[in-house]
Structures are given as structure tokens and as C-alpha cells.
């Protein structure tokens, strides 16, 4: 399978594709380690995980966005402190992105930093967030506004966890990975368009797509781990996408929201003369497969613009948008939220969503 090491200023960490989660956990865990596990995963994979959970201390969490907050991590930290967790002990996260974010945030601040391992169970986490070092929690209703950089020490990927994902969850993961393929270039994006349908049902095809997604991301984060320069392009689709998530109360899964966001970024890019309508529609052919069956027509434009104005990539009143000058030519563009921009957003919401939702 695919195995590699990510170089980090904080500490290098390995990614290993595995086939036996139980055996790996029993081999890696030591006395004093504590598992933080999504309760849904704990129940779905009880036969695999119970022998491990019987042997090691664990904390079950309901992996909702509310866990990714000061209020959400407080009881976890209280349990750790009250039950003898020490700096030489390790946290082991088993779950998706919410479990990852909560565990990473706690690991980064407990005793000024403890080691942690990650067993990602969602496609979003396996194909994207497991590497990159970011820790993020929400502040009130604003997504990912608090956090830092603190990578796991080891990551173990088992595609068997994807067997219980819904179609929407698989599409969300593929939607998130799509932005890496657009950033990478024509060849990679053409591959994803070609293999997208097969990836929904064929684990071997999906494994290749996950690995390539991580390869693309790895190259950027090793040059710009702290998201100051080149890596900023990976926010492509995310400014718009995060606004969609928050305004639909996370009804729209993250990667699907990002697929809408990429289309919005491309729409603005056409208005600015950066790309042709033909290029936008070429990318939209894939994006429309990802968002098919969802609707964001209930979002009010005024509220959307307010949410967009609070994006952490903005500078003052200027929007820090990631736009498109062609596949493989994604870049950061500081745009004023002026009447012209508002007009473009109004046009998008009035003319593009009906079409989008009937694809």
C-alpha cells in the first residue's frame, strides 16, 4: 500500500495504510494512553474495537460541531487530568475530522503538548485533513476561528472504515479532495473526473485517489506548513463553503459545501476575466455530480455576505478570495466586497442554484 513521511517543523510524522486496525492498535498502544473515539464508530465497529477498548482507557464523544469548542473540549480535558493522564502518555483519536480537531487541539495545549496518533475513519479525514498540522475549533457559530498547528505523530489509514459511510459522506470527501486536483493541474483533474464514478464503489480506485490527494497536499505543506504563502491556495472554495456550512447549520456536508464554493470562486473568476466560461463549465461537470441532490436555495444573500465577511482569510474589509486563472493556476486575490462583487453574488444565487439543484 501507500506509505510516506511528512516533514514538519514541529515533528515529522508518518502515514501508513493498514488493513487490520485492531492488530495495529494493540501493537502501538502503551499503558497510560487514552483513546478518544467517535461513539458512532465505537458502535459500528464494535467487534473490531471492543477488545482494544476493554484494555485501554477511552473517552467516547458524540462527534458534532459542538464538540469543537472550548465548552466541548473542557470535559475531555477534565477527565484526562482527573484520571492520571501524564505528559509522557499519548492520545489516540479514532474518528473523522471533528474527533481529529478536538483531539489535536487538546494534545497541543495539554501540558504544553503531548503526542497523539490518528486513525481517520471518514473520507474527508483520510483524503485531506489527516495531514497538514492544523488544529481548529469553532467559536460560537463561527467555524474554525481558534486553533494552531500541531500534527499527529503517526497516522494509520484503513479504507475499511469507509464501508459504513453514506453516499453524501463519500461525495463530501471527494468534493474536498477535488480542490487539490484543481490546484495540481490538468492531468490530475482529468484523472479525478475520469475515476470519480468508480471511486464511489471501488476501494482500489479510491485508495489511489486518496493517496494522490495526500501527495499533492504534502508537497505544499512541506514548503509552507503554517499557511503563509503557497499553501493558501488550498482555501480554494472554502471561504464560500464555510459560509454555506454555517448558514445551513451544517446540513450541507463540508466537502459538498466546498464544491459549491469552488463553483462560486470560478463564477467570480469568469467575471474578472481570469478564466473562460468553458473552463468553468468543464470543472462544474464534476462539481455538479458532487452536489447533486442537495439544495442551498434557502440561504439569504445578505446573511451569506455577512458570513463571508467574517472569513479568517480576510484583511480588514477586503475579502481574501482564492480564485482561478486556469486548472493548476489557483491564486489568492484580495477583492473589495463592493457593489460589483455583491451584484455577482446576487446573480449567482438567482441564476446558478436552480440549475445546480436540477443537475
Amino acid at each position: 500500500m501507500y506509505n510516506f513521511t511528512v516533514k514538519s517543523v514541529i515533528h515529522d510524522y508518518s502515514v501508513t495504510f493498514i488493513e487490520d486496525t485492531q492488530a495495529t492498535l494493540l501493537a502501538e498502544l502503551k499503558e497510560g494512553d487514552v483513546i478518544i473515539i467517535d461513539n458512532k464508530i465505537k458502535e459500528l465497529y464494535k467487534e473490531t474495537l471492543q477488545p482494544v477498548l476493554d484494555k485501554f482507557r477511552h473517552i467516547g464523544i458524540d462527534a458534532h460541531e459542538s464538540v469543537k469548542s472550548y465548552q466541548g473540549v473542557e470535559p475531555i480535558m477534565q477527565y484526562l487530568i482527573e484520571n492520571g493522564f501524564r505528559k509522557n502518555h499519548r492520545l489516540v483519536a479514532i474518528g473523522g475530522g471533528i474527533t481529529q480537531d478536538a483531539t489535536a487541539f487538546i494534545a497541543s495545549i495539554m501540558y504544553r503538548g503531548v503526542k497523539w496518533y490518528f486513525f481517520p475513519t471518514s473520507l474527508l479525514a483520510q483524503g485531506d485533513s489527516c495531514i497538514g498540522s492544523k488544529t481548529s475549533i469553532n467559536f460560537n457559530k463561527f467555524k474554525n476561528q481558534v486553533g494552531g498547528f500541531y500534527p499527529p505523530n503517526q497516522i494509520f489509514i484503513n479504507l475499511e472504515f469507509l464501508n459504513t459511510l453514506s453516499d453524501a459522506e463519500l461525495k463530501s470527501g471527494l468534493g474536498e479532495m477535488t480542490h487539490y486536483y484543481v490546484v495540481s493541474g490538468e492531468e490530475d483533474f482529468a484523472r479525478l473526473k475520469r475515476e470519480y464514478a468508480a471511486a464511489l464503489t471501488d476501494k482500489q480506485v479510491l485508495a489511489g485517489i486518496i493517496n494522490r490527494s495526500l501527495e499533492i497536499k504534502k508537497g505544499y505543506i512541506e514548503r509552507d506548513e503554517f499557511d503563509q504563502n503557497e499553501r493558501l491556495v488550498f482555501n480554494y472554495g472554502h471561504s464560500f463553503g464555510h459560509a454555506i456550512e454555517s448558514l445551513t447549520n451544517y446540513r450541507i456536508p463540508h466537502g459538498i459545501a466546498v464544491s459549491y464554493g469552488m463553483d462560486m470562486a470560478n463564477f467570480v473568476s469568469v467575471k474578472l476575466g481570469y478564466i473562460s466560461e468553458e473552463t468553468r463549465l468543464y470543472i462544474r461537470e464534476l462539481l455538479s455530480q458532487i452536489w447533486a441532490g442537495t439544495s442551498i436555495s434557502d440561504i439569504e444573500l445578505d446573511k451569506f455576505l455577512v458570513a463571508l465577511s467574517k472569513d479568517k482569510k480576510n484583511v480588514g474589509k477586503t475579502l481574501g478570495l482564492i480564485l482561478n486563472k486556469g486548472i493548476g493556476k489557483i491564486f489568492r486575490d484580495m477583492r473589495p466586497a463592493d457593489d460589483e462583487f455583491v451584484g455577482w453574488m446576487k446573480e449567482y444565487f438567482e441564476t446558478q442554484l436552480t440549475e445546480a439543484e436540477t443537475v
Side-chain angles (χ1 to χ4, degrees):
M1 291 295 286
Y2 312 101
N3 304 306
F4 56 89
T5 297
V6 181
K7 296 187 181 302
S8 166
V9 173
I10 302 163
H11 53 247
D12 293 355
Y13 52 103
S14 62
V15 178
T16 305
F17 283 69
I18 62 171
E19 295 182 354
D20 191 332
T21 299
Q22 183 186 114
T24 302
L25 282 165
L26 290 173
E28 295 290 341
L29 290 178
K30 300 175 183 177
E31 185 179 353
D33 293 346
V34 175
I35 299 166
I36 299 177
I37 183 169
D38 179 346
N39 284 327
K40 185 177 178 181
I41 297 299
K42 178 181 175 181
E43 188 60 35
L44 284 171
Y45 296 92
K46 193 170 186 177
E47 185 176 340
T48 295
L49 296 174
Q50 199 60 49
V52 180
L53 300 178
D54 288 342
K55 190 172 181 180
F56 294 94
R57 290 179 298 173
H58 63 278
I59 303 169
I61 63 171
D62 293 325
H64 305 307
E65 286 287 334
S66 59
V67 173
K68 284 180 48 172
S69 65
Y70 287 123
Q71 296 81 5
V73 301
E74 184 178 349
I76 300 172
M77 296 176 69
Q78 184 169 339
Y79 172 90
L80 293 171
I81 294 168
E82 288 180 349
N83 287 274
F85 184 80
R86 299 289 181 254
K87 186 173 175 61
N88 63 307
H89 297 153
R90 302 169 302 175
L91 297 176
V92 179
I94 305 176
I98 291 174
T99 308
Q100 173 190 351
D101 274 329
T103 305
F105 185 76
I106 292 167
S108 72
I109 61 175
M110 282 288 294
Y111 312 133
R112 300 189 182 90
V114 298
K115 292 182 177 180
W116 71 288
Y117 286 12
F118 187 30
F119 288 74
T121 61
S122 70
L123 185 51
L124 271 167
Q126 291 188 359
D128 172 32
S129 67
C130 66
I131 69 170
S133 306
K134 290 183 179 180
T135 73
S136 300
I137 62 172
N138 304 331
F139 184 79
N140 293 331
K141 64 179 180 179
F142 304 113
K143 186 176 174 68
N144 294 344
Q145 295 296 301
V146 178
F149 295 86
Y150 196 73
N153 295 81
Q154 286 189 269
I155 299 161
F156 299 95
I157 295 177
N158 188 343
L159 269 68
E160 291 303 308
F161 281 119
L162 306 183
N163 289 339
T164 50
L165 295 187
S166 67
D167 188 54
E169 289 168 323
L170 288 174
K171 286 184 171 184
S172 179
L174 285 161
E176 178 69 11
M177 287 189 283
T178 296
H179 83 284
Y180 293 116
Y181 282 81
V182 178
V183 166
S184 181
E186 293 277 1
E187 185 177 343
D188 275 319
F189 183 70
R191 171 192 174 176
L192 183 61
K193 281 192 75 172
R194 184 173 63 250
E195 296 184 353
Y196 171 79
L200 290 170
T201 57
D202 188 324
K203 286 288 193 307
Q204 189 170 353
V205 173
L206 185 56
I209 287 175
I210 291 170
N211 183 68
R212 181 57 186 149
S213 177
L214 295 177
E215 280 182 342
I216 296 166
K217 185 174 183 179
K218 168 177 150 49
Y220 278 78
I221 62 179
E222 288 184 339
R223 298 196 301 274
D224 180 25
E225 183 168 13
F226 301 129
D227 212 10
Q228 298 297 310
N229 296 296
E230 299 102 315
R231 186 178 171 183
L232 288 170
V233 298
F234 289 151
N235 289 309
Y236 174 53
H238 283 64
S239 296
F240 300 106
H242 285 158
I244 291 168
E245 282 184 280
S246 64
L247 292 174
T248 61
N249 198 27
Y250 304 101
R251 169 177 55 81
I252 301 296
H254 176 73
I256 295 177
V258 169
S259 70
Y260 278 114
M262 285 185 277
D263 193 54
M264 290 178 181
N266 293 344
F267 186 82
V268 172
S269 296
V270 171
K271 294 297 184 183
L272 289 164
Y274 293 153
I275 58 171
S276 66
E277 180 71 0
E278 181 182 12
T279 297
R280 182 179 86 90
L281 294 177
Y282 174 69
I283 298 172
R284 187 180 169 97
E285 286 173 359
L286 175 59
L287 300 178
S288 64
Q289 294 178 65
I290 295 164
W291 71 48
T294 66
S295 172
I296 60 169
S297 58
D298 58 328
I299 292 177
E300 296 176 26
L301 179 60
D302 288 348
K303 291 181 179 179
F304 181 81
L305 293 168
V306 169
L308 196 61
S309 73
K310 298 184 184 301
D311 189 83
K312 61 181 177 291
K313 295 175 288 299
N314 298 342
V315 178
K317 294 184 179 180
T318 304
L319 302 175
L321 300 180
I322 308 300
L323 300 180
N324 189 342
K325 286 188 176 178
I327 296 171
K329 299 176 183 177
I330 306 303
F331 74 108
R332 190 185 190 199
D333 195 15
M334 304 304 295
R335 305 299 312 172
D338 55 14
D339 290 345
E340 185 176 46
F341 178 81
V342 171
W344 293 338
M345 288 292 93
K346 185 173 185 291
E347 182 183 348
Y348 185 90
F349 274 81
E350 288 178 350
T351 67
Q352 300 299 307
L353 292 185
T354 301
E355 179 186 343
E357 289 152 13
T358 57
V359 171

